[in-house]
Amino acid sequence: MSAGNSPAPAAARPYRPPAPLPRTKPLSKLGFMVALRENPISTWGIWNFENPITTGRTALGPMTGVSSPEGIRHVMVDNVGNYVKDRLQLRVLKPGLGTGLLTAEGESWKAARRTLAPLFAPRTVETFVGTMQAKAGAMVARLQAQPLGARVNISDEMTRVTFEILTDTLFSDAVDGTSQEFGEAFTRYFENQGKISPLDMLNAPDWIPRFNRYRAQPAINFFEEKVRQIIARRRALLATPGAAVPRDILTLLLEAADPETGVGLSEAEVGANIVTFLGAGHETTANALSWTLFLLAKHPAAQSAVAREAREAENLALVDWLDNLPMTRAVIEEAMRLYPPAPTLSRMALAEDEIQGVRVAAGSTVIISPYVVHRHRSLWSEPDYFRPERFLPPARDQIDRYAFIPFGAGPRVCIGQRFAMHEAVIVLATLMRHFGFAMPKGESVMPLQRITLRPSPRLEMLLQRADAAG
Ligand code: HEM
């Protein structure tokens, strides 16, 4: 049994947020393909949320779903050398993201991870806190220009603030393009490429055209063009004697050299990493923040508690955010439990393996779904309910490391985890100091998996005075 499992106090009325109901009967092969294409999280059956390991033959071939902390640890840590990113995942991600850190394997992954790690070290991330605060402040100023009661597109606002933070910190403002342009390109890419084609499910050869890829192509062209511009400008700066060159992700990528061979990253690898960081680095956090605000709108007591904590922490020293706003952090973590921005992680087994007594064939797919694990009946009490107190200390310490995996685990754990948590806490606290949020009457959203897990339709909320919710 994992943490946060003591029953809710009678006074606290937990809220059950929207999600597809787990299926009670297995889908036919065709039904599975249709549901997978429409919304992959709707394919899960109740048995997935009840058993540690499930096996089956789907339209995608033999598949093992691993949802126990012990099994997850086996795949992601103890026997990690036996598991690589699987074919379908690469087919979805590679056309746009190329071979960047997220999709690379073996030595090229190791070299890239080593090169980029210093940029995400705790001490470096702390130097970004000032920028995170400034961009969150600019968002507050934008919203203050709106009348109270105005309807605000929260999905757009969160995309904008996270994009601005990312480009200012990791790219030193070298990205030429607005959050709206990039936001639209990533949405178009995820929307089309993230809709899994039946041809991909059937492992049809790459030369057979896929309609969804055709529709994703303008976004891919946009990325290529932007990347060319970004690299050319930075190369020019590096070649200018005496120019002040920022030690950011671009410089690290362009100067990276393997210590053994001295070989640097190819032009394609540099470009792939730029798009990867732009893609992986803001959509995910923007979705986490959008879901958090939605849940707070539905739970006024939690909203008041976060607002109070944020106001009390007004004079916090710059680097102290993450550890001194426990309620703010807890609601973000509870939102990522219910709506993990990366809801499905998948791998292919290189050699035959055994996980908790279950045989895994060589070449078969292993799915670890944070969405399923985070709502698993044997790991959480009231798994489908919003109960942020699970993540408040000391209850939080009881949560099994492998029962809460929004950022993955093991050597391929999200490199931007600390960056994202700092950012999310700062943006949420800054917002909640100034505003309250409510859902327009009669409106709701559902989680839709398109690579990331986002609210559908895009989230619009009503702006209120900061204390209105309390
Ligand atoms: C709430 C925000 C975020 C979530 C939930 C998230 C989630 C994840 C997950 C689950 C993985 C592992 C994927 C796997 O094992 O297959 C991952 C990897 C990765 N993430 Fe994040 N991420 C977030 C924010 C960020 C940010 C802010 C950045 C960069 C600034 C980033 C960059 C990456 C990269 C480059 C990888 C690949 C790491 C590797 O394979 O070595 N992510 N992320």
Side-chain angles (χ1 to χ4, degrees), residues 101-444:
L101 192 60
L102 191 63
T103 49
E105 290 290 354
E107 285 310 310
S108 78
W109 169 76
K110 269 192 201 151
R113 182 99 190 187
R114 253 198 321 264
T115 305
L116 296 170
L119 208 56
F120 294 93
R123 251 197 243 144
T124 318
V125 172
E126 281 163 11
T127 65
F128 298 151
V129 164
T131 302
M132 292 175 176
Q133 276 182 298
K135 297 294 180 192
M139 175 184 56
V140 165
R142 274 198 302 279
L143 293 178
Q144 275 168 338
Q146 306 258 2
L148 288 175
R151 204 177 160 109
V152 175
N153 189 320
I154 287 297
S155 299
D156 284 355
E157 283 298 336
M158 296 306 115
T159 304
R160 176 163 176 186
V161 72
T162 52
F163 182 81
E164 288 180 354
I165 288 173
L166 188 76
T167 51
D168 199 328
T169 53
L170 297 190
F171 291 87
S172 320
D173 268 346
V175 177
D176 181 23
T178 62
S179 71
Q180 203 178 347
E181 286 176 303
F182 272 93
E184 278 166 13
F186 277 113
T187 305
R188 189 181 181 117
Y189 180 72
F190 289 159
E191 178 64 40
N192 292 294
Q193 201 68 19
K195 238 184 191 177
I196 301 163
S197 157
L199 290 166
D200 282 336
M201 294 183 216
L202 297 169
N203 201 12
D206 255 343
W207 52 263
I208 300 180
R210 273 76 161 162
F211 190 56
N212 59 340
R213 285 201 205 157
Y214 169 75
R215 293 182 28 152
Q217 197 55 46
I220 296 173
N221 297 345
F222 172 85
F223 297 146
E224 281 174 1
E225 179 54 29
K226 287 292 167 192
V227 160
R228 241 194 319 272
Q229 290 169 4
I230 294 168
I231 295 178
R233 254 200 311 273
R234 181 56 58 88
R235 279 209 197 286
L237 193 65
L238 282 163
T240 310
V245 182
R247 301 296 306 161
D248 61 2
I249 204 160
L250 283 182
T251 304
L252 281 178
L253 288 169
L254 290 169
E255 289 185 344
D258 191 305
E260 280 159 35
T261 61
V263 176
L265 298 178
S266 70
E267 196 82 2
E269 281 172 323
V270 173
N273 275 301
I274 293 172
V275 183
T276 296
F277 277 91
L278 286 172
H282 84 295
E283 248 272 331
T284 40
T285 319
N287 282 329
L289 280 163
S290 296
W291 282 118
T292 306
L293 286 168
F294 169 78
L295 290 165
L296 289 181
K298 294 287 185 182
H299 202 298
Q303 184 165 167
S304 296
V306 173
R308 211 174 311 119
E309 184 177 86
R311 278 197 296 272
E312 282 166 13
E314 189 122 32
N315 298 318
L316 214 57
L318 277 186
V319 294
D320 289 348
W321 286 85
L322 209 46
D323 297 327
N324 287 288
L325 292 151
M327 186 62 186
T328 311
R329 187 183 175 144
V331 295
I332 294 166
E333 293 194 315
E334 177 70 343
M336 287 198 297
R337 183 185 70 80
L338 287 163
Y339 300 114
T344 308
L345 311 178
S346 50
R347 300 290 191 266
M348 185 186 80
L350 291 173
E352 184 177 316
D353 195 12
E354 197 183 292
I355 307 173
Q356 291 181 273
V358 176
R359 182 181 163 273
V360 176
S364 66
T365 305
V366 171
I367 301 281
I368 295 176
S369 162
Y371 182 82
V372 172
V373 175
H374 292 177
R375 291 170 181 257
H376 204 276
R377 287 11 183 184
S378 72
L379 298 174
W380 306 88
S381 73
E382 298 185 295
D384 295 328
Y385 285 80
F386 177 65
R387 285 190 41 210
E389 64 277 11
R390 316 172 196 268
F391 286 97
L392 284 176
R396 199 202 183 297
D397 302 335
Q398 320 265 313
I399 298 176
D400 192 303
R401 164 67 189 93
Y402 299 96
F404 182 59
I405 49 166
F407 295 102
R412 298 214 65 153
V413 71
C414 176
I415 198 170
Q417 170 171 3
R418 214 177 153 77
F419 183 103
M421 283 310 297
H422 268 283
E423 179 182 17
V425 167
I426 289 171
V427 169
L428 185 64
T430 309
L431 259 183
M432 298 308 292
R433 242 180 232 161
H434 295 90
F435 304 107
F437 291 91
M439 283 301 286
K441 275 222 156 37
E443 286 185 32
S444 192

